[in-house]
Amino acid sequence: MATAATAKGPAASGGAPSARRRSVMGTRRWVAGLFLLPALVLLGALVVYPIGYTTWRSLFDKAGSGFVGLHNYASVFSDDSTLTALRNTAVWVVVAPVLATALGLVFAVLTERVSWGTAFKLVVFMPMAISMLAAGIIFRLVYEQDPARGAANAVVVGVHDTFAESSAYPGARPRPNGSLAASGGGSYTTRDAAGEGTAVGLPLIGVPAAKLPAGTADARQATAGPGVTGTVWLDFKPGGGGEPGVIDAGEKALEGVKVEAVRDGRVVASATSGTDGTFSLPASAAGAQLRLPASNFAEPYNGVDWLGPTLVTPAIIGAYLWMWAGFAMVLIAAGLAGVPRELMEAARIDGANEWQVFRRITVPLLAPVLVVVVVTLMINVMKIFDLVYIVAPDTSKDEANVLALQLYLSSFGAGNDQGVGSAIGVILLLLVVPVMVFNIRRLRREARR
Amino acid sequence: MTTVAGTAEPAEPAGPAEARAVPAAAARQSLASRVVARTGGGVLRVLLVLVALFWLMPTVGLLISSFRGPVDIADSGWWKVFTAPSQLTVTNYRELLGNDAVTSSLVNTALITVPATLLVVVIGALAGYAFAWMEFPGRDWLFLLVVGLLVVPVQIALIPVAKLFGEIGIFGDIIGVVLFHVGFGLPFAVFLLRNFFAEIPRELLEAARLDGAGELRLFARVIMPLGGPAIASLGIFQFLWVWNDMLVALIFSNTGSQPVTVALQQQVRQFGNNIDVLAPGAFVSMVVPLVVFFAFQRQFVSGVMAGAVK
């Protein structure tokens, strides 16, 4: 469709009326035949004949000898892996073209307003020039799970930690039978109520001393009162010999641990331990139990499992958008150049704001171009193969499966069933038949004019 | 041909190509839109710069990663080089280019791409010329068939062509990969070139014919030179298409004839372990397409516009 609709240049009038264009001075028919021969032979052997063969082959079993009728089609629609592939292809065809077109539209409209719009377009359009293999490798790197290595998770974790407190000491815990006891949800609470005027000790273990930041101060016994005071420290003496529950010389302070005073299930005061591990709570905390909330010990947020079973398809669609939004943008920008500015100006003079101009004038005028772009992308997405094949790791390949990948696997991979493979091929062909018919009818209409 | 200019009716269909026919419209920017552009311009500019950076980031990440050792890559993200620039090294590239399997696959990519491009252009031009300027029975019918084949997915042909190539003994050969690409490149080539050639003024052809030029001479001396722009678009489009292909080569090539895309995809399974090969390999495979892209943007864009339907 896009072909018929957009292939122009000087050939603007597509199928020029054949009646007007007689042969240049009576070429002999066999000469015409010679000019056509290579193309027709190749098209016949590599495109037309295969369509027939594949259709025929799809009616036979795995071995290719037993006629099974439509059984292969039935198994495409009943087998688990092909059903996943069908469903994912449907998601791709519905979601990816629309999103790519929307992005392209926004970019095309916005870049019109800056002088360096061409440079911007070049940047966004560039991924179209590279292979899906290269794009796949690029996005394997981007989607790397470890936030220390994958850019996507580095950003996600960065944003997350800006808004949510990150925990100070994941894995830290009190000694069993010490002064602190687990109080549910990962928090720890003192067994006894804290009195005013005595320094409370909150010893923890489970943090490797080597993991503490360099220059961590030694723990110090808190000075008693006023209010409730105490120390949070790592109750582990390097070299051994320390006494549990007592701040021995050389034991390190745990800075930044949140301490809450809880009375009757309500937090009445809270404080955070300082560089030497000490904290002090107001007098109102006297008689309350001290709790170290779970936020002190939670495992660090590790980002999103982009390529895990649930998100793998959206993640790959993201990579596709990176590649193809530029295509939509360039086509739409070309369409935009032909939209009469007078209409937009008139609307602005009548008091329309930019959004109204966009919504009521730009988009409707561009509608034909948008349809061309969406349909072109749909045809493209239907056959998506490389990107899924490369980006989806083995562990979630089944969940990311699409028709073109399943065709490959069925025909040439482990499936080894060219009957089913052929059936999938025919299904892919049937999906583009409406576009084929549209192309042909459009050409004939132009030829008649 | 439908027209857009001067109509207030939004329903009028307008292909992007028709739109391009009125490039002057882009230059006319109203006073009102200039005012708006200036007030909201700051935010917009920042936003667009951010989007552009966002779009560049993945490629930059690959480029930088390709210059880091495998130990560094396993340990931290590519952005680490901004604080530790000493990590940058060309070792990956030296090893990649010393790896015979990779270098020969790069040669194979060229050996596949160049003939597949030239053949499509020549065969497509011959047929396009015949469709545009010669009389023969069934011409219009045949051309409609070609147009119908434009959107046929390659997947439909994989099984039968593999069988066919096996029977004539070219399965696994470079020639098989080339032929497959030529076959599936032809519908677009014929369509594009026939439409372009049909617009060549009749007088030019008649004048050449009166000078005694034969059919071949007419084709080589008049049609091909005048068809330059369309041939360039087609050539670049086909070149990038074949260079970047993985699926066709995955099936029709073997270890000796595989292009770089196929050689690299074998390493993807052990992604973490092979990243020191994959990152520079992917980048090397991208260099030629990117150079072609930047050198021939205009032709590439019109090629894409004409038919990214494949």
Side-chain angles (χ1 to χ4, degrees), chain A residues 2-4 6-8 10-16 18 21-25 27 29 31-32 35-36 38-40 42-43 45-48 50-51 53-54 107 110 112-114 116 120 122-127 129-131 133-134 137-138 140-142 144 147-151 154 321-322 325 327 330-331 334-335 337-338 340-343 345 348 354 364-365 368-369 376 379-380 383 385-386 389-390 394 404 407-408 411-412 418 421-422 425-426 428-429 432 436 439-440 443-444 449, chain B residues 1 4 7 10 12-14 16-20 22 25-26 28-30 32-33 36 44-45 48-49 51-52 55-56 58-59 62 65 73-74 76-77 79 123 126-127 129-137 139-140 142-144 147-153 155-161 163 165 179 182-184 186-187 191 194-196 198-199 202 205-206 209 215 219 244 246-247 250-251 261 264-265 268-269 271 275 278 282 286 289-290 293-294 297 300-301 304-306 308-310:
Chain A
T3 313
T6 58
K8 293 290 156 62
S13 51
S18 50
R21 236 172 353 84
R22 289 267 157 245
S23 164
V24 202
M25 309 128 271
T27 310
R29 280 183 186 176
V31 178
F35 272 73
L36 283 172
L40 294 186
L42 286 171
L43 281 174
L46 299 172
V47 187
V48 178
I51 292 175
Y53 181 92
T54 301
F107 292 166
L110 292 185
E112 273 211 320
R113 296 151 179 271
V114 292
W116 40 274
F120 178 91
L122 207 59
V123 167
V124 176
F125 194 51
M126 183 208 70
I130 70 172
S131 63
L133 168 95
I137 292 173
I138 286 174
R140 275 295 277 270
L141 274 173
V142 169
E144 193 90 55
R149 289 184 289 155
L321 293 180
W322 178 78
F327 166 81
V330 166
L331 283 188
R341 304 286 135 163
E342 296 79 12
L343 281 177
E345 266 172 63
R348 287 195 187 99
E354 284 306 304
L365 279 176
V369 183
T376 307
I379 297 174
N380 183 280
K383 299 174 288 183
F385 169 78
D386 316 30
Y389 188 78
I390 299 295
D394 281 357
L407 180 146
Y408 172 77
S411 316
F412 304 97
Q418 302 206 331
S422 298
V426 172
L428 284 176
L429 182 68
V432 298
M436 253 183 214
N439 271 349
I440 292 175
L443 195 79
R444 296 187 67 152
R449 216 179 308 143
Chain B
M1 182 169 165
V4 181
T7 168
E12 193 72 36
E18 285 96 335
R20 268 190 303 155
V22 221
R28 284 185 276 122
Q29 233 198 354
S30 72
S33 70
V36 172
L44 177 67
R45 242 162 252 174
L48 285 179
V49 168
V51 171
W55 235 262
L56 279 176
T59 318
L62 177 79
S65 295
I73 297 180
S76 56
W79 49 91
I123 298 176
L126 286 171
Y129 174 49
F131 276 121
W133 290 104
M134 292 180 187
E135 269 293 273
F136 53 89
R139 181 180 74 178
D140 294 345
L142 261 181
F143 187 64
L144 284 183
V147 171
L149 296 180
L150 275 171
V151 289
V152 170
Q155 278 84 357
I156 191 103
L158 297 177
I159 292 170
V161 175
K163 184 167 167 285
F165 283 179
L179 282 180
V182 174
F184 272 83
L186 273 176
F191 172 77
R194 179 264 180 203
N195 283 352
F196 197 94
E199 297 297 309
R202 182 182 193 81
L205 297 175
E206 273 166 345
R209 176 51 64 90
E215 221 47 85
F219 174 75
N244 288 333
M246 182 179 88
L247 173 61
L250 197 57
I251 290 165
T261 46
L264 286 179
Q265 64 82 25
V268 168
R269 200 165 259 261
F271 189 80
I275 185 64
L278 286 171
M286 282 162 60
L290 285 180
F293 171 74
F294 283 112
Q297 285 162 46
F300 180 56
V301 169
V304 163
M305 294 240 224
V309 273
K310 296 217 294 180

Side-chain angles (χ1 to χ4, degrees), chain B residues 15-300:
Chain B
E18 285 96 335
R20 268 190 303 155
V22 221
R28 284 185 276 122
Q29 233 198 354
S30 72
L31 180 68
S33 70
R34 273 203 301 265
V35 171
V36 172
R38 209 158 295 168
T39 46
V43 181
L44 177 67
R45 242 162 252 174
V46 171
L47 182 78
L48 285 179
V49 168
L50 287 179
V51 171
L53 287 178
F54 181 80
W55 235 262
L56 279 176
M57 205 71 82
T59 318
V60 171
L62 177 79
L63 178 62
I64 294 179
S65 295
S66 72
F67 284 103
R68 298 176 79 213
V71 178
D72 289 333
I73 297 180
D75 178 62
S76 56
W78 51 268
W79 49 91
K80 184 84 191 251
V81 294
F82 296 121
T83 50
S86 63
Q87 287 187 344
L88 293 176
T89 164
V90 294
T91 319
N92 291 345
Y93 283 92
R94 197 176 299 138
E95 278 176 16
L96 184 83
L97 297 177
N99 180 336
D100 286 346
V102 174
T103 45
S104 68
S105 73
L106 279 167
V107 173
N108 286 337
T109 294
L111 288 179
I112 292 169
T113 308
V114 173
T117 306
L118 292 179
L119 282 173
V120 157
V121 168
V122 172
I123 298 176
L126 286 171
Y129 174 49
F131 276 121
W133 290 104
M134 292 180 187
E135 269 293 273
F136 53 89
R139 181 180 74 178
D140 294 345
W141 183 86
L142 261 181
F143 187 64
L144 284 183
L145 177 73
V146 171
V147 171
L149 296 180
L150 275 171
V151 289
V152 170
V154 293
Q155 278 84 357
I156 191 103
L158 297 177
I159 292 170
V161 175
K163 184 167 167 285
L164 179 74
F165 283 179
E167 277 161 9
I168 58 176
I170 57 169
F171 187 78
D173 278 5
I174 279 184
I175 180 128
V177 184
V178 170
L179 282 180
F180 191 93
H181 281 305
V182 174
F184 272 83
L186 273 176
F188 175 57
V190 174
F191 172 77
L192 180 78
L193 295 181
R194 179 264 180 203
N195 283 352
F196 197 94
F197 292 162
E199 297 297 309
I200 291 174
R202 182 182 193 81
E203 296 73 32
L204 281 176
L205 297 175
E206 273 166 345
R209 176 51 64 90
L210 285 178
D211 289 347
E215 221 47 85
L216 261 182
R217 199 180 152 83
L218 209 59
F219 174 75
R221 293 293 169 81
V222 182
I223 296 286
M224 288 300 265
L226 286 176
I231 287 171
S233 288
L234 170 69
I236 286 157
F237 192 71
Q238 174 79 3
F239 182 91
L240 289 175
W241 179 260
V242 177
W243 185 282
N244 288 333
D245 161 75
M246 182 179 88
L247 173 61
V248 173
L250 197 57
I251 290 165
F252 296 106
S253 69
N254 60 24
T255 336
S257 59
Q258 66 190 15
V260 67
T261 46
V262 176
L264 286 179
Q265 64 82 25
Q266 291 160 354
Q267 316 272 335
V268 168
R269 200 165 259 261
Q270 300 283 323
F271 189 80
N273 293 337
N274 293 329
I275 185 64
D276 54 325
V277 179
L278 286 171
F283 208 81
V284 166
S285 81
M286 282 162 60
V287 167
V288 171
L290 285 180
V291 167
V292 169
F293 171 74
F294 283 112
F296 302 100
Q297 285 162 46
R298 188 181 305 249
Q299 289 86 347
F300 180 56

Side-chain angles (χ1 to χ4, degrees), chain A residues 4 22 71 80 95 164 167 169 189 245 259 320 370 416 433 439:
Chain A
R22 289 267 157 245
H71 179 262
D80 271 352
V95 174
S167 82
Y169 301 103
T189 308
V259 182
Y320 180 86
L370 297 181
N416 196 21
V433 162
N439 271 349

Side-chain angles (χ1 to χ4, degrees), chain A residues 57-79:
Chain A
R57 181 68 182 81
S58 72
L59 305 175
F60 288 81
D61 63 5
K62 202 166 167 172
S65 48
F67 183 83
V68 293
L70 295 177
H71 179 262
N72 287 326
Y73 294 89
S75 56
V76 168
F77 288 97
S78 57
D79 183 72

